Amino acid sequence: MNNTENLAEHVNPWKRISSKVAYENPWITVFHEDVLNPNGNSGIYGKVHFKNLAIGIVPIDENGMTWLIGQYRYPLNQYSWEIVEGGGKIGIAPQESARRELKEECGLVAGELREIVRSHLSNSVSDELAILYVATNLTQEEAEPEDTEMLAVKKIPLKEAFTMVEEGKITDSMSVIALQHLKIEWLEGKLILP
Amino acid sequence: MNNTENLAEHVNPWKRISSKVAYENPWITVFHEDVLNPNGNSGIYGKVHFKNLAIGIVPIDENGMTWLIGQYRYPLNQYSWEIVEGGGKIGIAPQESARRELKEECGLVAGELREIVRSHLSNSVSDELAILYVATNLTQEEAEPEDTEMLAVKKIPLKEAFTMVEEGKITDSMSVIALQHLKIEWLEGKLILP
């Protein structure tokens, strides 16, 4: 099995025969590709390329409170409570995008921003990359929501957000990953909460 | 803010004006839709519908060992170590799909299968739903990999898989979510590991 591993990690076993853009909008490009699969048999692959990074931020204040954003997620046709999230343009430092989202959605200015996790959200179909942060030393200013957004904002204890994940009340992958990461830091004594 | 919340949770603030299929293959359908956004302004939405559930399984044996699957992820153009994953057909019980994947990829038969998390992996663009399980009371039989797959399988201590997540060596969202969840159970004494 080790040989297989070593070979597989260094060689792309897929061969692309042809590629065409099947759909494009300002956020994604969908490619339809003819391929030879790892066993050399011909097949197809529909690939969704994301034009932006997915940025997520968990703000934590000195009282151990965080901010959750509630919004209706159009593709799910369902309401969702989440951490602060937004797109990060390629070519702009992700930290800068994180600070912008935090200001837009919560009116918060972060004294400190710490990256906690990077994750590929849906790697069987897309190349979407999420970069997740914790924001601390916060200053409250005015929020500046975007035109397309109708956001609810609620400030709750971070520990309560941990519980929402455990109870399945938060299902968004970026939120689950960031909050579980912070719960582990807290359980291991690396994150101190009142 | 409470009024906003209560209103927002009950009403879909998006209005669909038109919808057409922009791309379809056996796994996804991409819809291009003209919409009115929550503020009543016209816009578009590109929506990726997943035809299958995303099923993920963490097998754990009596020695606290788990199995990781290594494969080259075509959309990422990158090699990825992950938990056992596969598609779950709508209309088939997800537990059944989980047992099938576990047998195919690792040759493992699960005496017990416990659901741990459900997560929407990429809800700004898709409706992909992941259902994650822990499998225990395992019996080893023969693996039956699918035609398209060239998989490496490695058996390692579950605790080592936790470390791979923390070190960023596992980035797949389903794997990160399932392994973080199990680490929390372990830290809280709900999961006993040798």
Side-chain angles (χ1 to χ4, degrees):
Chain A
M1 194 52 72
N2 269 327
N3 291 342
T4 322
E5 279 176 36
N6 298 336
L7 176 66
E9 296 208 32
H10 294 90
V11 178
N12 180 353
W14 294 83
K15 300 271 169 292
R16 183 170 60 198
I17 304 303
S18 71
S19 177
K20 69 172 210 286
V21 173
Y23 174 69
E24 181 159 31
N25 70 24
W27 303 279
I28 59 171
T29 308
V30 179
F31 294 94
H32 178 78
E33 305 193 336
D34 294 302
V35 299
L36 295 182
N37 74 31
N39 293 338
N41 304 319
S42 57
I44 63 154
Y45 218 117
K47 225 170 50 173
V48 180
H49 166 62
F50 279 68
K51 298 182 179 185
N52 300 308
L53 292 166
I55 306 289
I57 311 99
V58 180
I60 309 176
D61 77 4
E62 63 284 2
N63 301 316
M65 304 291 283
T66 192
W67 284 251
L68 292 184
I69 305 296
Q71 66 182 300
Y72 204 94
R73 284 296 192 176
Y74 188 78
L76 286 185
N77 200 16
Q78 187 173 305
Y79 199 79
S80 180
W81 281 103
E82 306 174 0
I83 62 172
V84 179
E85 295 178 2
K89 296 235 170 312
I90 303 303
I92 293 180
Q95 297 84 345
E96 196 179 315
S97 302
R99 290 178 185 280
R100 195 202 66 249
E101 280 298 326
L102 199 56
K103 180 69 168 67
E104 280 179 6
E105 299 192 352
C106 303
L108 293 171
V109 177
E112 274 183 41
L113 198 64
R114 173 169 62 98
E115 182 179 324
I116 49 173
V117 188
R118 292 189 178 212
S119 177
H120 295 103
L121 299 182
S122 180
N123 68 14
S124 68
V125 163
S126 86
D127 59 2
E128 185 177 21
L129 173 64
I131 307 182
L132 305 172
Y133 296 92
V134 173
T136 51
N137 298 353
L138 306 170
T139 311
Q140 182 71 65
E141 299 182 355
E142 277 304 304
E144 304 151 354
E146 279 180 62
D147 163 62
T148 53
E149 300 175 313
M150 184 167 94
L151 304 178
V153 181
K154 80 177 161 189
K155 187 176 177 181
I156 64 169
L158 181 60
K159 290 175 185 174
E160 197 176 303
F162 294 161
T163 306
M164 289 176 74
V165 170
E166 284 146 25
E167 292 177 344
K169 292 173 181 167
I170 291 176
T171 62
D172 163 61
S173 64
M174 293 170 68
S175 304
V176 171
I177 290 170
L179 292 167
Q180 288 190 150
H181 177 94
L182 292 172
K183 175 150 190 188
I184 289 167
E185 284 194 359
W186 174 60
L187 289 169
E188 291 182 328
K190 296 170 186 167
L191 174 70
I192 306 306
L193 294 173
Chain B
M1 194 50 72
N2 269 328
N3 291 341
T4 322
E5 281 176 34
N6 298 337
L7 176 65
E9 295 209 31
H10 293 92
V11 178
N12 180 353
W14 295 82
K15 300 269 169 291
R16 182 169 62 197
I17 304 303
S18 70
S19 177
K20 69 172 209 288
V21 173
Y23 175 69
E24 181 158 31
N25 71 23
W27 303 278
I28 59 172
T29 308
V30 179
F31 295 93
H32 177 78
E33 306 193 336
D34 293 302
V35 299
L36 294 182
N37 73 32
N39 293 338
N41 304 318
S42 56
I44 62 152
Y45 218 117
K47 225 169 52 173
V48 179
H49 165 62
F50 279 68
K51 297 182 179 185
N52 300 307
L53 292 167
I55 305 289
I57 311 99
V58 180
I60 310 176
D61 77 5
E62 61 284 2
N63 302 315
M65 304 291 283
T66 193
W67 284 251
L68 291 184
I69 304 297
Q71 65 182 301
Y72 204 93
R73 285 296 192 176
Y74 188 77
L76 287 185
N77 200 16
Q78 187 173 304
Y79 199 79
S80 180
W81 281 103
E82 306 175 359
I83 62 172
V84 179
E85 296 178 2
K89 296 235 170 311
I90 303 304
I92 293 180
Q95 298 84 345
E96 197 180 315
S97 302
R99 290 178 186 278
R100 195 202 64 250
E101 281 299 326
L102 198 56
K103 179 69 167 67
E104 281 179 4
E105 299 192 353
C106 303
L108 293 171
V109 176
E112 274 182 41
L113 198 65
R114 173 169 62 98
E115 182 179 325
I116 50 174
V117 188
R118 293 189 178 213
S119 177
H120 295 103
L121 298 183
S122 180
N123 69 14
S124 68
V125 164
S126 86
D127 60 1
E128 185 177 20
L129 173 63
I131 307 183
L132 305 172
Y133 296 92
V134 172
T136 50
N137 298 353
L138 306 170
T139 312
Q140 182 71 66
E141 298 182 357
E142 278 305 304
E144 304 151 355
E146 279 180 65
D147 164 62
T148 54
E149 299 175 313
M150 184 167 92
L151 303 178
V153 181
K154 83 177 159 189
K155 186 176 176 181
I156 64 170
L158 182 61
K159 290 175 186 174
E160 197 177 301
F162 294 161
T163 305
M164 288 176 73
V165 170
E166 284 146 23
E167 292 177 345
K169 292 173 181 167
I170 290 175
T171 62
D172 163 60
S173 64
M174 292 169 69
S175 304
V176 171
I177 290 170
L179 292 167
Q180 285 178 331
H181 177 94
L182 291 172
K183 174 149 189 188
I184 289 168
E185 285 193 359
W186 174 60
L187 289 170
E188 291 182 328
K190 296 170 187 166
L191 175 70
I192 306 305
L193 294 173

